Amino acid sequence: MFEAIQNTFDLQDVDLANYSPLTLAYIGDCVYEIIVRTCLVYKGNAPVDKLNKQASQYAKAPTQAAMIDAIMDKLTPEEEAAYRRGRNAHSGTKAKNATLGEYRKATGFEALIGYLYLKKDFDRITEIVKMAFSHVKGAL
């Protein structure tokens, strides 16, 4: 899908070192969400409100913070750097029902996913998300 988007809209490769970590988190949030929704839909046809409730369990900052904590030792130094850039970024918003620490860790997690997406390392994204899911109670 990425290549189809890139080719159709004639998008050029980008220098990820020059991108804001919050921009990486912005796209990473979307990529992560499409993974979660895809997994839920493939688990079975269900009412949309039920799917949204299930998806929200994976999108909450405390859940994402716990997931990244559980897999930190599995990240490469390059991935850790992308995560830290996102975690340390100061945004003008804060999460509902999460501590500042959880919110920052979740932002770092999303920045890591965004970084890997723009790097076109899709296999690593799915590997990381699968590892992360294994640390969630009742995981996909």
Side-chain angles (χ1 to χ4, degrees):
M1 184 165 78
F2 184 96
E3 287 181 5
I5 295 168
Q6 191 174 31
N7 293 337
T8 300
F9 297 100
D10 194 30
L11 304 177
Q12 303 303 309
D13 287 336
V14 296
D15 180 5
L16 297 175
N18 292 327
Y19 266 64
S20 156
L22 295 177
T23 299
L24 298 176
Y26 171 77
I27 192 71
D29 174 59
C30 187
V31 171
Y32 177 70
E33 186 170 339
I34 195 80
I35 294 169
V36 169
R37 287 181 179 210
T38 300
C39 291
L40 289 172
V41 167
Y42 269 82
K43 291 278 182 184
N45 196 11
V48 173
D49 62 329
K50 183 177 178 183
L51 292 171
N52 280 331
K53 281 183 184 178
Q54 291 174 316
S56 72
Q57 295 304 310
Y58 291 89
K60 292 192 291 188
T63 302
Q64 290 181 351
M67 289 189 308
I68 194 67
D69 282 344
I71 65 167
M72 276 301 292
D73 63 335
K74 308 275 192 303
L75 300 182
T76 68
E78 177 186 355
E79 292 165 349
E80 285 183 31
Y83 162 74
R84 278 193 310 274
R85 283 182 63 209
R87 183 198 62 204
N88 295 337
H90 297 283
S91 70
T93 61
K94 67 178 215 173
K96 296 181 285 183
N97 305 314
T99 67
L100 179 59
E102 290 168 333
Y103 183 68
R104 287 191 172 168
K105 286 179 181 183
T107 302
F109 177 73
E110 291 171 349
L112 169 60
I113 299 301
Y115 172 80
L116 292 170
Y117 176 75
L118 293 176
K119 192 178 159 197
K120 303 177 193 168
D121 197 346
F122 312 117
D123 289 339
R124 185 61 175 155
I125 292 170
T126 55
E127 186 179 343
I128 285 172
V129 173
K130 184 175 181 178
M131 283 189 293
F133 281 177
S134 73
H135 296 281
V136 176
K137 185 177 180 182
L140 293 169

